[in-house]
Amino acid sequence: MEQRSSSAAADSGWQGEVDDDECNAGGVREIQISGGPFVIPPKGAPLERLRRWRQAALVLNASRRFRYTLDLKKEEEKEQIRRKIRAHAQVIRAAFLFKEAGERHPLDVGTPVVLPCGFGIGEEQLTSMTRDHDYSALQEHGGVKGIADKLKTNIDMGISGGDADLLCRRNVFGTNTYPRKKGRSFLVFLWEACQDLTLIILMVAAVVSLILGIKTEGIKEGWYDGGSIAFAVCLVIVVTAVSDYKQSLQFQHLNEEKQNIHMEVIRGGRRIEVSIFDLVVGDVVPLKIGDQVPTDGILIGGHSLAIDESSMTGESKIVHKDQKAPFLMSGCKVADGYGNMLVTAVGINTEWGLLMASISEDTGEETPLQVRLNGVATFIGIVGLAVAGAVLVVLLARYFTGYTKNPDGSIQYIKGQTSVKATVNGAIKILTVAVTIVVVAVPEGLPLAVTLTLAYSMRKMMADKALVRRLSACETMGSATTICSDKTGTLTLNQMTIVAAYVGGEKIDPPDNVKLLSPTISSLLLEGIAQNTSGSVFEPEDGGIAEVTGSPTEKTILSWGLKLQMKFNEIRSRSSIIHVFPFNSEKKRGGVAVHVGGSEVHVHWKGAAELIVASCTSWFDTDGSKHEMTSDQLNAFRKYIEDMAEDSLRCVAFAYRPLELENVPNEEERINWSLPEDNLILLAIVGIKDPCRPGVRDAVRLCQEAGVKVRMVTGDNLHTAKAIAFECGILTDRNVSEPTVIEGRVFRAYSDAEREKAAQKISVMGRSSPNDKLLLVKALRNTGHVVAVTGDGTNDAPALHEADIGLAMGIQGTEVAKESSDIIILDDNFASVVKVVRWGRSVYANIQKFIQFQLTVNVAALIINVVAAVSSGNVPLNAVQLLWVNLIMDTLGALALATEPPTDHLMKRPPVGRREPLVTNIMWRNLIIQALFQVAVLLTMNFKGRSILRLNNDSLEHADKEKNTFIFNTFVLCQVFNEFNSRKPDELNIFSGITRNHLFMVIIAITVVLQVLIIEFLGKFASTVRLNWKLWLVSMAIGFVSWPLAIVGKLLPVPDTPLQELIQRSFCCGKKPSGSTQGPPDHNGNGQGDSNSATSRADHNGNGGGHSNHPDPSHMV
């Protein structure tokens, strides 16, 4: 539910601002982000905004509070290092040219240098030639063929790939890794935990107390007060450091996973997939559009290969590569075409390796929720400091005016009589209590609880086949209102087979019945299949089963060709490729021109069936005779396509046209030559079956129940898309019309306003280009949706970048798509996308559980100590006890509650409004009920405890100690019982799923065991006495009451309007608040609620809504 509010109480003087104007390509639109410094956009936050919230935060331990945030200084340093390395490379190049000009003389043909393993060229020669793009040196070595021979590489078959060969190459030329800066050691985390200002003050106070205590009471008794505080502070430091260190190791592991790219490489004539770190010099690497160039190398051969070198040169210019410009740089991206590369330099010998070794990987990246929690921590901290200051003033005033008494009833301080030592000791004890109140009140661990739950979620999401690249995507996914999903491989299995084929105007049954094909058609069709492909076929020499590699569609078509008795290598050797038009998702087709001998050239096309058929003016009959394409015949072919599409088949057509060699441009002009795509002759139409993934229907239903609309965006025929959407449950009626199902070209032709109106209703978009997907994402975001988008191609990168959450496919996705994404779905499965939504909601829910728990402890501890201090001059909870409570509340509480696994209950709610208050009305209700109960019981015990607990017959000192021990014990047990309540803020059954969270059970057990030890055995340290079994039972009974009390509390209704908004209304004399309470979008994407739904829902994007000029810190609280 989208709730929006402003709270004067939480404002604390933070002023909201209107800034960060952004321009949208789909029409200029100002996006205004308000809400003071503690609200940042989920993507692309400007550095100024990031600086602003850091300056506004009240921080007592900067190194801990800002640990997992972006290091702004490092970001600037990174850019300087990049510039230096680029300049460094230019200097090397310039020095080389200068040296070559001044010292050029014939090569020394004296004693030849013998290189290990029989290689004909050394590491230094290769590295300098590649890094300096030295074309003349390449020619001296005999070009790429000469280099390959010296590296003992066959440019067609690659290296042998045996273990001995690989080891030898690694020893001589190095590995494709770079020295990484070591992660921080445990001692660094220990040091950071020590830097908390409050803990430093407590340590100083403990040392002074220790010295004075030993001087006053002797070493035997005098060290307890100071020693116990020092021990408690050390315990807090160690537990904090251990927790933070483990978290850091998780991030380190996830970061290594991100960098482990898998590449295809040709070894022993076959294509195999290896890790980028396993590549060696001499390897032959096939590159295709969207790949990252994994090492430095030289182009062996390719077609239309264009490289984006902006990551290395800093210039966003696409560079075309051919035999005259063959050098390829590691870290660049393939923008177009394909080709094979010979690896010549790896690891630290490449510019990319130098760059990566110089820049330490920074895992810091603040998320909007983390920043909002810094705002909450700052607000609570201000209140806590104010309260602690007031307690300090009251206690000191009471102490020095003689109102503070010892347990035996004697006055602690009498002017002129009390010694200086005793006075200082008394004042230090008061200061210690005040500082400890600050420790409890300022939740330094609150923002870190976000990173704890995100780290936990990220680790678990890896098991659920989702690799998180950007932390904030985890929490944003909890707010997603719509998912725009690809069809192929995401909703379907990507296990394609050709189940229908029409050749010569007749259906071939079975589709691989070669006897029904005439020699003319068979020859041309197999030539088109073998030459017009980016896939490959490895035919073993022993006549074994051929291995087919490539994209799923290419593999399917090549496999069909093999069944039609295609001899792949033989057919390719009969003709030579002279130009290639790589498959293009905009044009939905790919083409190739091949020279078949003499002056004859064949141009082969394959692609979307209805588009290819529309370009045909002739067709071949089954006997191989050519006929003109009449309108009747065209309609017949279209009917075939429609029938196959109705059966959920993906339709691909093959066509060709002959061309005279004289009509082909010469080699220099060929790079800009557009292959002729008209006057084609139709060869065949095939129907490819790609079945729906098992479980995808349930996953779609789960999304719809959770208020998340699933939309299919595919490049396939609209009929195929509709049939698959019906199978998946995205459509419930086959007979739907526009705009529920729409073609990309129709949507593209709409105006901006029409697109926004139609986008709400779209369930299926067929024949869409990547640009159509981008337009849909923009239209949905403009209407207030939080959009998740799946993508795999290079052209999907803009849509992935524009979406709130970009989901790239791990198997089919290109490196360009992955780099533009926020989360990589490792198994390309839509069910994994739904799991990401569950985890996103879980992150938000877990943080809310922890906040509810922590605020209850804060409020109760503060009120009890303040009231007791003001009324009696003594506090029932001393410094050591409060430090133990802080440990339960902060580190242990975060571990227990922030690691709750997601439940099905989360998917029965609407999406989380991204600007919804962190502390909801339900949480306020639970918090107030529990805090009031604890305060009422414990203050009653504080003032009437001696008579209630029947301690009147004991000495005054012992009775007070026993009463205070009982209060401390009861307070801790109340938190233990309340920790169970916090697990389920809005459910009656607080024990459901408890056995699945082993960490929660362990932490509860540790807390209880340590509490027993403190009370029964560490009395000297904690200033407690042993309690009898009756008092233990009473403490447990009081704690237990919080369970039935929570059940009764959950039956109380709460208003829909957030508490902060109600307070604002009362302060603003009935003035109508800005924004409106807004229901979630329904399954059709239509807003429920008032007519201003688009404006109010715009808050989902973190982009202001109705009240951008008002401060709104309630977005934090």
Side-chain angles (χ1 to χ4, degrees), residues 114 253 276 361 404 433 512 556 602 653 812 949 1086 1107:
V114 179
H253 172 66
I276 191 170
E361 190 63 37
T404 306
V433 169
D512 53 3
T556 306
H602 290 169
Q812 288 307 307
L949 301 174
N1086 300 321
H1107 66 299

Side-chain angles (χ1 to χ4, degrees), residues 221 223-233 235 429 432-433 436 875-885 960-969 972 1010-1027 1032:
E221 294 289 327
W223 68 276
Y224 283 125
D225 278 354
S228 56
I229 292 171
F231 176 77
V233 169
L235 185 66
K429 281 183 181 174
T432 308
V433 169
T436 314
V875 287
L877 301 172
N878 64 29
V880 175
Q881 293 166 2
L882 282 173
L883 282 169
W884 168 231
V885 168
D960 256 6
K961 260 200 169 180
E962 193 160 350
K963 177 198 75 176
N964 284 349
T965 301
F966 176 79
I967 289 171
F968 165 58
N969 195 41
V972 169
L1010 288 175
Q1011 181 64 15
V1012 171
L1013 287 174
I1014 288 167
I1015 299 293
E1016 297 298 315
F1017 303 105
L1018 298 173
K1020 289 277 189 184
F1021 280 100
S1023 304
T1024 57
V1025 293
R1026 288 186 173 186
L1027 297 177
W1032 269 102

Side-chain angles (χ1 to χ4, degrees), residues 563-580:
K563 287 175 185 174
L564 295 174
Q565 298 174 7
M566 171 182 75
K567 302 289 182 199
F568 183 76
N569 291 330
E570 189 184 310
I571 290 172
R572 283 177 76 95
S573 65
R574 281 190 216 144
S575 55
S576 59
I577 295 173
I578 54 176
H579 192 61
V580 171

Side-chain angles (χ1 to χ4, degrees), residues 9 28 156 375 397 556 577 609 652 735 771 787 901 946 1099:
V28 179
D156 296 317
T556 306
I577 295 173
V652 176
N735 300 314
N771 193 50
V787 186
R946 281 175 60 198
D1099 273 8

